[in-house]
Amino acid sequence: MMQGFPLSRRFLHSTLPSPPLVSSLTTSEHARDARRWLTQFREAGTVPKHLVELTFSRSSGPGGQNVNRVATKVTARCPLNVPWIPLWAHECLMRSPYYVKSSDSLLITSSASRSQALNVDDTLAKLHHLVTNCASRLIPTSTTKEQRQHVVALQKTEAQRRMKQKNHRSAVKRSRSRKDWD
């Protein structure tokens, strides 16, 4: 049983890929598994409705009678300890403005549209984007052979520039001296 949220079969059989069960990405194997999960998670596109608790309320602002009649504002609440959110992303998610400490969950709202369905889609897309950003921020990227060669070339160029600058400075100081250095 999660805090305030019943653990149902819906959480166990989701359409989202399960992330690797690691709290930190210290080894290259963990990073590789995390990259593979992130690719699959991005391909999912959005979080399915059944994985979050959706509530509806009246929106504020202009809209005439529609605002008074229809509950178009959508609030999505998702506990942080659901299986489809990677453990290594929890710390980043806890620092986000969407984190609610009292319920240890993410709370995202949308009232951008006059349509409840569009606001549901917007809320789920925001949640997907938030989890994707936090998870990808902590995955170390691997460097390609071309990138390593480029760095080596830049280091050689910098060393040559430095030596040229030192030789120039040495020549300036030598020209100021009365000694004959030859």
Side-chain angles (χ1 to χ4, degrees):
M1 189 82 143
M2 289 184 266
Q3 286 183 325
F5 298 96
L7 183 60
S8 66
R9 295 169 88 88
R10 297 184 307 186
F11 285 105
L12 299 176
H13 302 291
S14 70
T15 57
L16 294 176
S18 296
L21 296 174
V22 293
S23 58
S24 64
L25 304 173
T26 52
T27 66
S28 60
E29 184 179 318
H30 290 160
R32 186 187 65 235
D33 292 343
R35 270 188 236 104
R36 187 177 309 125
W37 170 84
L38 185 62
T39 302
Q40 293 171 350
F41 189 73
R42 281 185 175 144
E43 287 172 359
T46 187
V47 177
K49 286 186 230 184
H50 68 273
L51 294 179
V52 297
E53 177 187 327
L54 295 174
T55 55
F56 307 97
S57 59
R58 292 185 188 152
S59 292
S60 62
Q65 287 300 311
N66 191 60
V67 172
N68 299 330
R69 279 188 325 205
V70 183
T72 57
K73 180 180 179 182
V74 178
T75 303
R77 183 179 298 270
C78 178
L80 201 58
N81 59 355
V82 292
W84 58 270
I85 295 180
L87 296 174
W88 72 84
H90 284 199
E91 187 178 327
C92 177
L93 290 169
M94 291 169 103
R95 288 190 310 256
S96 80
Y98 301 107
Y99 178 70
V100 179
K101 186 175 182 175
S102 61
S103 63
D104 193 35
S105 61
L106 299 171
L107 185 71
I108 298 177
T109 62
S110 178
S111 59
S113 172
R114 288 177 49 142
S115 165
Q116 189 182 76
L118 290 177
N119 286 336
V120 168
D121 293 342
D122 185 45
T123 306
L124 296 173
K126 284 180 184 178
L127 179 61
H128 185 270
H129 183 71
L130 177 68
V131 172
T132 302
N133 280 349
C134 283
S136 65
R137 195 176 297 164
L138 300 171
I139 298 175
T141 58
S142 60
T143 56
T144 64
K145 186 176 181 179
E146 293 83 22
Q147 288 172 328
R148 285 191 293 267
Q149 289 173 346
H150 183 67
V151 168
V152 168
L154 288 173
Q155 289 171 338
K156 284 182 181 178
T157 304
E158 177 61 22
Q160 290 171 351
R161 185 199 61 78
R162 185 174 161 267
M163 286 306 297
K164 184 177 177 183
Q165 186 179 15
K166 285 180 76 134
N167 288 337
H168 175 70
R169 184 72 181 146
S170 176
V172 168
K173 287 187 172 191
R174 200 174 317 133
S175 70
R176 292 180 187 155
S177 172
R178 293 185 182 207
K179 288 186 180 179
D180 186 17
W181 293 94
D182 292 329

